[in-house]
Amino acid sequence: MEKIIQLLFICCICHELIILSSALQVGFYAKKCRAAESIVQQEVQRSFSTDRSITAALLRMYFHDCFVRGCDASILIDSQNTGIKQSEKDAGPNQSVRGYELIDRIKSRLESACPTTVSCADIIALATRDSVALAGGPMYNILTGRRDGLVSNPAEVNLPGPTLTVQEALKFFTNKGFSLNDMVTLLGAHTVGITHCSLIQDRMSRFDGSMDPNLFTRLSTTCAARNNDPSVFLDQSTSFIVDNEFYKQIRLKKGILKIDQELASDRSSAGIVNNFSINPKAFQQAFANALIKLGNTQVLEGKFGEIRKNCRAFNPPQP
């Protein structure tokens, strides 16, 4: 009898977990706001048609949002709209994040069509997905039903930096539930990435043999320019296309960031890099899976959080 009671108790817990996890689903807005995903897609297409770098911008926003408090759109809050007059936007790694105006345009249209229905967190996830597909990357379904967070604190922003070793970076990823394979795959987003000379000073200060000599010479000239911190493509071959060229480049010592180049030289990750460099389909599938997994990080759902009316501000307190 005791075993039967225990079994029933376990079944009840499992049933409850299934109910809780079912809040996120593909096509969450199919009945609540049928045009939601189409509106996102239209605005992303419009932006991409004039600025192909929007894919890199959205991928960065997506990662920087999900890796702090989870995918809750806390990165979108403006500093003047918090009690401490600071937000995640003020944190060093986020000061060069962009794409906020696109999110604003999407939110404005969605509020007109379906007021207080589609979360800003879902907008980031959907817009990123659509921009990846437009850039030649994988097309994939993503769960929706996320809710927006109620906190945005720059002190909580702790992201892996470009000068880390593979093992140092991996600690950040494993703390969020990601594997080495996930990390190598997500860093493949650098196939459309851009950095600045100030962030590669460690590699440009002297030639140490870790970078292709011709690339080193070219970047030395670029970074010596009297410009306001010149930008550099992380993939010097197909800079606006989501493909496996990034992995081919780092195998040839053409990685720009230290962490990128170390992926190809570290024994733990070199095999993954090699596989992706010769198998574009493997990368595309892995990249889709990794972006889906990233979008499920510490998600607020059900009655937690809120659906913001303005992605840059928390909703006013209810009277």
Side-chain angles (χ1 to χ4, degrees):
M1 183 66 179
E2 184 178 350
K3 288 184 178 180
I4 294 175
I5 292 173
Q6 289 176 343
L7 182 61
L8 287 171
F9 178 70
I10 292 171
C11 288
C12 287
I13 292 176
C14 291
H15 180 65
E16 185 176 356
L17 288 174
I18 291 170
I19 292 173
L20 287 173
S21 64
S22 66
L24 288 187
Q25 56 187 274
V26 173
F28 180 83
Y29 298 108
K31 294 182 179 179
K32 299 180 179 181
C33 186
R34 292 183 62 183
E37 295 198 21
S38 294
I39 289 172
V40 174
Q41 188 176 47
Q42 289 164 15
E43 288 300 322
V44 172
Q45 172 73 69
R46 176 183 162 200
S47 181
F48 184 85
S49 66
T50 59
D51 178 14
R52 293 171 66 194
S53 71
I54 194 63
T55 303
L58 289 170
L59 280 165
R60 190 159 183 249
M61 179 189 291
Y62 187 42
F63 180 81
H64 282 223
D65 182 48
C66 294
F67 241 62
V68 179
R69 297 183 61 86
C71 305
D72 66 349
S74 51
I75 195 172
L76 302 181
I77 296 295
D78 285 342
S79 56
Q80 67 266 26
N81 295 324
T82 69
I84 58 174
K85 299 304 177 185
Q86 285 186 311
S87 69
E88 288 179 25
K89 285 183 179 178
D90 297 304
N94 289 340
Q95 289 181 12
S96 57
V97 172
R98 60 189 182 86
Y100 300 116
E101 293 77 12
L102 171 57
I103 303 299
D104 291 339
R105 290 197 299 270
I106 294 170
K107 184 60 173 174
S108 178
R109 284 192 60 187
L110 287 170
E111 284 300 299
S112 294
C114 316
T116 323
T117 302
V118 181
S119 71
C120 301
D122 276 343
I123 292 173
I124 296 175
L126 290 168
T128 301
R129 178 197 64 179
D130 293 341
S131 72
V132 165
L134 287 169
M139 293 183 288
Y140 56 91
N141 290 321
I142 193 164
L143 299 174
T144 43
R146 299 168 189 78
R147 289 172 66 84
D148 300 322
L150 302 172
V151 176
S152 183
N153 187 340
E156 296 183 356
V157 177
N158 184 26
L159 297 164
T163 61
L164 298 180
T165 65
V166 170
Q167 297 308 314
E168 289 169 342
L170 184 58
K171 291 178 182 178
F172 284 85
F173 283 83
T174 54
N175 286 341
K176 291 292 183 180
F178 293 91
S179 66
L180 174 65
N181 193 81
D182 293 329
M183 181 183 82
V184 177
T185 304
L186 286 170
L187 287 176
H190 289 174
T191 186
V192 290
I194 300 170
T195 190
H196 292 273
C197 288
S198 60
L199 294 175
I200 55 173
Q201 289 178 346
D202 59 316
R203 303 205 69 205
M204 303 310 302
S205 59
R206 63 183 179 84
F207 181 72
D208 61 4
S210 66
M211 182 182 287
D212 173 81
N214 292 328
L215 176 61
F216 182 85
T217 300
R218 192 163 69 249
L219 290 182
S220 295
T221 301
T222 299
C223 293
R226 295 183 178 180
N227 186 11
N228 291 329
D229 201 8
S231 59
V232 179
F233 287 114
L234 298 181
D235 177 346
Q236 296 277 304
S237 179
T238 55
S239 307
F240 294 107
I241 301 174
V242 175
D243 57 14
N244 68 329
E245 189 64 29
F246 166 78
Y247 298 101
K248 295 179 183 180
Q249 294 292 304
I250 61 177
R251 289 190 69 199
L252 296 173
K253 294 187 176 182
K254 293 182 179 180
I256 306 300
L257 301 178
K258 177 184 176 182
I259 180 58
D260 290 350
Q261 192 55 57
E262 294 225 348
L263 292 177
S265 59
D266 190 285
R267 289 184 178 181
S268 66
S269 53
I272 304 170
V273 169
N274 180 58
N275 179 47
F276 287 159
S277 73
I278 61 177
N279 193 337
K281 288 185 178 179
F283 167 64
Q284 294 272 350
Q285 185 59 61
F287 195 52
N289 291 339
L291 291 176
I292 291 168
K293 183 174 181 178
L294 178 62
N296 294 336
T297 305
Q298 296 172 267
V299 171
L300 297 173
E301 54 184 275
K303 296 182 179 179
F304 295 98
E306 65 181 9
I307 304 297
R308 283 184 217 141
K309 297 179 180 179
N310 174 359
C311 290
R312 293 175 180 264
F314 302 120
N315 292 340
Q318 293 294 323

